[in-house]
Amino acid sequence: MPVRPVLRLGHPTLSQPAKAVAEFNTPQLSALIQDMLDTMAVENGVGLAAPQIGEPLRLIVFGMQDNPRYPDREPVPGTVLINPHIIPIGDEQEGDWEGCLSLPGMRGWVPRHRHIVYTGLDAEGRPIEREASGFHARVVQHEVDHLDGILFPQRMPDMRRFGYEQELAAAADSGTENH
Ligand code: NI
């Protein structure tokens, strides 16, 4: 299955709401899911949303074991999630650095709900319902935002904490950034 090009910030498909998946167990859906998994793996992504490869459908994939882009984060179970919905648990928010395959080389400091419940359907149309916290909850919120045409800079309260990863890392080394 082919690895697909990932659209970058500025492409109109990334800023449009995606449509619900209506048909399950079709060859087209299976092929799309496989393309997304392959693309995410090649790009060392932690998650990918269908609009990022030009398919405006409410479908995300995510998961992480030993990812070199996020060496110090806890593992996230490998998941295909269709027509997802997020319910925050409590009001607690926490900030952390995020990246996105549609903004290669960039990072930003983004507040997210610390605890959530997320629901949706798996590749065969079976229901999924999970509680998640911390990095896992962050990844799901980031990916579901893509389905609503939202990229992480739009969630940032302070654009001074947005930039190229190498510049931010250099600033951290010099003691001007803490994370
Ligand atoms: Ni992203």
Side-chain angles (χ1 to χ4, degrees):
M1 288 291 162
V3 170
R4 307 260 293 256
V6 177
L7 304 182
R8 292 181 302 171
L9 177 66
H11 192 290
T13 298
L14 292 175
S15 55
Q16 290 163 7
K19 292 197 172 81
V21 172
E23 282 195 276
F24 290 81
N25 298 307
T26 65
Q28 291 85 350
L29 183 62
S30 300
L32 173 57
I33 290 169
Q34 195 58 53
D35 286 359
M36 289 175 65
L37 293 169
D38 293 348
T39 303
M40 183 173 73
V42 162
E43 302 286 348
N44 284 322
V46 168
L48 187 71
Q52 290 182 278
I53 59 167
E55 304 281 351
L57 291 169
R58 301 190 78 81
L59 161 58
I60 63 177
V61 297
F62 56 87
M64 191 189 69
Q65 304 278 340
D66 304 325
N67 188 304
R69 290 178 68 232
Y70 295 91
D72 54 354
R73 300 301 197 275
E74 62 266 30
V76 177
T79 304
V80 173
L81 190 64
I82 299 173
N83 300 342
H85 185 60
I86 291 174
I87 303 143
I89 303 175
D91 296 329
E92 193 182 349
Q93 302 237 335
E94 68 182 358
D96 199 358
W97 293 99
E98 288 189 16
C100 180
L101 297 179
S102 294
L103 289 84
M106 303 198 80
R107 291 288 170 107
W109 184 264
V110 184
R112 298 282 187 187
H113 297 291
R114 169 140 178 74
H115 303 287
I116 62 169
V117 171
Y118 64 89
T119 62
L121 303 170
D122 72 8
E124 282 78 43
R126 294 173 300 218
I128 294 174
E129 178 171 344
R130 286 191 195 138
E131 262 187 62
S133 298
F135 186 63
H136 181 179
R138 173 172 300 277
V139 168
V140 176
Q141 289 170 86
H142 175 116
E143 297 309 328
V144 171
D145 266 355
H146 275 297
L147 307 182
D148 296 321
I150 295 168
L151 300 179
F152 77 78
Q154 292 165 255
R155 296 290 192 191
M156 294 183 57
D158 181 358
M159 294 305 285
R160 291 173 299 184
R161 303 186 92 184
F162 179 50
Y164 290 95
E165 190 170 10
Q166 288 172 340
E167 304 288 357
L168 293 163
D173 288 345
S174 67
T176 55
E177 186 62 82
N178 296 303
H179 65 93

PDB file of all heavy atoms in Angstrom, residues 134-146:
ATOM      1  N   GLY A 134      -3.231  12.777  29.891  1.00  0.00           N
ATOM      2  CA  GLY A 134      -1.874  13.156  29.529  1.00  0.00           C
ATOM      3  C   GLY A 134      -1.621  13.092  28.028  1.00  0.00           C
ATOM      4  O   GLY A 134      -2.420  13.574  27.222  1.00  0.00           O
ATOM      5  N   PHE A 135      -0.505  12.482  27.658  1.00  0.00           N
ATOM      6  CA  PHE A 135      -0.078  12.484  26.256  1.00  0.00           C
ATOM      7  C   PHE A 135      -1.086  11.780  25.351  1.00  0.00           C
ATOM      8  O   PHE A 135      -1.377  12.244  24.241  1.00  0.00           O
ATOM      9  CB  PHE A 135       1.309  11.835  26.151  1.00  0.00           C
ATOM     10  CG  PHE A 135       1.909  11.920  24.775  1.00  0.00           C
ATOM     11  CD1 PHE A 135       2.214  13.148  24.203  1.00  0.00           C
ATOM     12  CD2 PHE A 135       2.188  10.771  24.065  1.00  0.00           C
ATOM     13  CE1 PHE A 135       2.776  13.231  22.933  1.00  0.00           C
ATOM     14  CE2 PHE A 135       2.753  10.845  22.791  1.00  0.00           C
ATOM     15  CZ  PHE A 135       3.045  12.068  22.226  1.00  0.00           C
ATOM     16  N   HIS A 136      -1.626  10.664  25.813  1.00  0.00           N
ATOM     17  CA  HIS A 136      -2.641   9.927  25.050  1.00  0.00           C
ATOM     18  C   HIS A 136      -3.846  10.841  24.759  1.00  0.00           C
ATOM     19  O   HIS A 136      -4.298  10.960  23.610  1.00  0.00           O
ATOM     20  CB  HIS A 136      -3.040   8.691  25.878  1.00  0.00           C
ATOM     21  CG  HIS A 136      -4.057   7.791  25.238  1.00  0.00           C
ATOM     22  ND1 HIS A 136      -4.489   6.644  25.858  1.00  0.00           N
ATOM     23  CD2 HIS A 136      -4.752   7.856  24.078  1.00  0.00           C
ATOM     24  CE1 HIS A 136      -5.389   6.043  25.088  1.00  0.00           C
ATOM     25  NE2 HIS A 136      -5.573   6.756  24.010  1.00  0.00           N
ATOM     26  N   ALA A 137      -4.331  11.518  25.786  1.00  0.00           N
ATOM     27  CA  ALA A 137      -5.475  12.426  25.612  1.00  0.00           C
ATOM     28  C   ALA A 137      -5.101  13.571  24.666  1.00  0.00           C
ATOM     29  O   ALA A 137      -5.917  14.001  23.834  1.00  0.00           O
ATOM     30  CB  ALA A 137      -5.914  12.983  26.959  1.00  0.00           C
ATOM     31  N   ARG A 138      -3.877  14.054  24.770  1.00  0.00           N
ATOM     32  CA  ARG A 138      -3.405  15.139  23.905  1.00  0.00           C
ATOM     33  C   ARG A 138      -3.413  14.726  22.433  1.00  0.00           C
ATOM     34  O   ARG A 138      -3.876  15.469  21.556  1.00  0.00           O
ATOM     35  CB  ARG A 138      -1.985  15.545  24.341  1.00  0.00           C
ATOM     36  CG  ARG A 138      -1.272  16.549  23.427  1.00  0.00           C
ATOM     37  CD  ARG A 138       0.030  17.012  24.064  1.00  0.00           C
ATOM     38  NE  ARG A 138      -0.255  17.651  25.352  1.00  0.00           N
ATOM     39  CZ  ARG A 138      -0.627  18.929  25.485  1.00  0.00           C
ATOM     40  NH1 ARG A 138      -0.704  19.726  24.425  1.00  0.00           N
ATOM     41  NH2 ARG A 138      -0.906  19.413  26.672  1.00  0.00           N
ATOM     42  N   VAL A 139      -2.880  13.539  22.165  1.00  0.00           N
ATOM     43  CA  VAL A 139      -2.813  13.057  20.780  1.00  0.00           C
ATOM     44  C   VAL A 139      -4.219  12.969  20.182  1.00  0.00           C
ATOM     45  O   VAL A 139      -4.451  13.405  19.044  1.00  0.00           O
ATOM     46  CB  VAL A 139      -2.103  11.682  20.728  1.00  0.00           C
ATOM     47  CG1 VAL A 139      -2.275  11.022  19.366  1.00  0.00           C
ATOM     48  CG2 VAL A 139      -0.614  11.832  21.069  1.00  0.00           C
ATOM     49  N   VAL A 140      -5.159  12.433  20.936  1.00  0.00           N
ATOM     50  CA  VAL A 140      -6.528  12.292  20.418  1.00  0.00           C
ATOM     51  C   VAL A 140      -7.141  13.671  20.161  1.00  0.00           C
ATOM     52  O   VAL A 140      -7.766  13.903  19.111  1.00  0.00           O
ATOM     53  CB  VAL A 140      -7.394  11.471  21.390  1.00  0.00           C
ATOM     54  CG1 VAL A 140      -8.840  11.403  20.899  1.00  0.00           C
ATOM     55  CG2 VAL A 140      -6.825  10.059  21.553  1.00  0.00           C
ATOM     56  N   GLN A 141      -6.933  14.615  21.084  1.00  0.00           N
ATOM     57  CA  GLN A 141      -7.487  15.960  20.880  1.00  0.00           C
ATOM     58  C   GLN A 141      -6.875  16.631  19.652  1.00  0.00           C
ATOM     59  O   GLN A 141      -7.577  17.283  18.865  1.00  0.00           O
ATOM     60  CB  GLN A 141      -7.251  16.810  22.137  1.00  0.00           C
ATOM     61  CG  GLN A 141      -8.122  16.359  23.302  1.00  0.00           C
ATOM     62  CD  GLN A 141      -7.721  17.035  24.605  1.00  0.00           C
ATOM     63  OE1 GLN A 141      -8.172  18.133  24.906  1.00  0.00           O
ATOM     64  NE2 GLN A 141      -6.867  16.371  25.386  1.00  0.00           N
ATOM     65  N   HIS A 142      -5.569  16.453  19.471  1.00  0.00           N
ATOM     66  CA  HIS A 142      -4.893  17.034  18.300  1.00  0.00           C
ATOM     67  C   HIS A 142      -5.476  16.450  17.010  1.00  0.00           C
ATOM     68  O   HIS A 142      -5.778  17.202  16.065  1.00  0.00           O
ATOM     69  CB  HIS A 142      -3.385  16.742  18.411  1.00  0.00           C
ATOM     70  CG  HIS A 142      -2.578  17.179  17.228  1.00  0.00           C
ATOM     71  ND1 HIS A 142      -1.605  18.154  17.314  1.00  0.00           N
ATOM     72  CD2 HIS A 142      -2.582  16.767  15.927  1.00  0.00           C
ATOM     73  CE1 HIS A 142      -1.066  18.330  16.107  1.00  0.00           C
ATOM     74  NE2 HIS A 142      -1.631  17.490  15.255  1.00  0.00           N
ATOM     75  N   GLU A 143      -5.647  15.133  16.975  1.00  0.00           N
ATOM     76  CA  GLU A 143      -6.115  14.490  15.733  1.00  0.00           C
ATOM     77  C   GLU A 143      -7.577  14.821  15.448  1.00  0.00           C
ATOM     78  O   GLU A 143      -7.951  15.055  14.297  1.00  0.00           O
ATOM     79  CB  GLU A 143      -5.902  12.975  15.786  1.00  0.00           C
ATOM     80  CG  GLU A 143      -4.446  12.534  15.898  1.00  0.00           C
ATOM     81  CD  GLU A 143      -3.527  13.161  14.869  1.00  0.00           C
ATOM     82  OE1 GLU A 143      -3.981  13.438  13.744  1.00  0.00           O
ATOM     83  OE2 GLU A 143      -2.348  13.393  15.196  1.00  0.00           O
ATOM     84  N   VAL A 144      -8.407  14.832  16.474  1.00  0.00           N
ATOM     85  CA  VAL A 144      -9.823  15.158  16.262  1.00  0.00           C
ATOM     86  C   VAL A 144      -9.960  16.611  15.800  1.00  0.00           C
ATOM     87  O   VAL A 144     -10.806  16.928  14.950  1.00  0.00           O
ATOM     88  CB  VAL A 144     -10.658  14.863  17.523  1.00  0.00           C
ATOM     89  CG1 VAL A 144     -12.077  15.407  17.379  1.00  0.00           C
ATOM     90  CG2 VAL A 144     -10.707  13.352  17.778  1.00  0.00           C
ATOM     91  N   ASP A 145      -9.084  17.502  16.283  1.00  0.00           N
ATOM     92  CA  ASP A 145      -9.095  18.884  15.791  1.00  0.00           C
ATOM     93  C   ASP A 145      -8.921  18.934  14.275  1.00  0.00           C
ATOM     94  O   ASP A 145      -9.546  19.764  13.603  1.00  0.00           O
ATOM     95  CB  ASP A 145      -7.973  19.692  16.452  1.00  0.00           C
ATOM     96  CG  ASP A 145      -8.433  20.447  17.698  1.00  0.00           C
ATOM     97  OD1 ASP A 145      -9.640  20.424  18.018  1.00  0.00           O
ATOM     98  OD2 ASP A 145      -7.570  21.077  18.350  1.00  0.00           O
ATOM     99  N   HIS A 146      -8.057  18.066  13.738  1.00  0.00           N
ATOM    100  CA  HIS A 146      -7.863  18.055  12.282  1.00  0.00           C
ATOM    101  C   HIS A 146      -9.187  17.830  11.556  1.00  0.00           C
ATOM    102  O   HIS A 146      -9.389  18.345  10.455  1.00  0.00           O
ATOM    103  CB  HIS A 146      -6.900  16.925  11.880  1.00  0.00           C
ATOM    104  CG  HIS A 146      -5.445  17.274  11.972  1.00  0.00           C
ATOM    105  ND1 HIS A 146      -4.865  18.261  11.211  1.00  0.00           N
ATOM    106  CD2 HIS A 146      -4.453  16.757  12.741  1.00  0.00           C
ATOM    107  CE1 HIS A 146      -3.571  18.325  11.500  1.00  0.00           C
ATOM    108  NE2 HIS A 146      -3.286  17.427  12.424  1.00  0.00           N
TER     109      HIS A 146
END
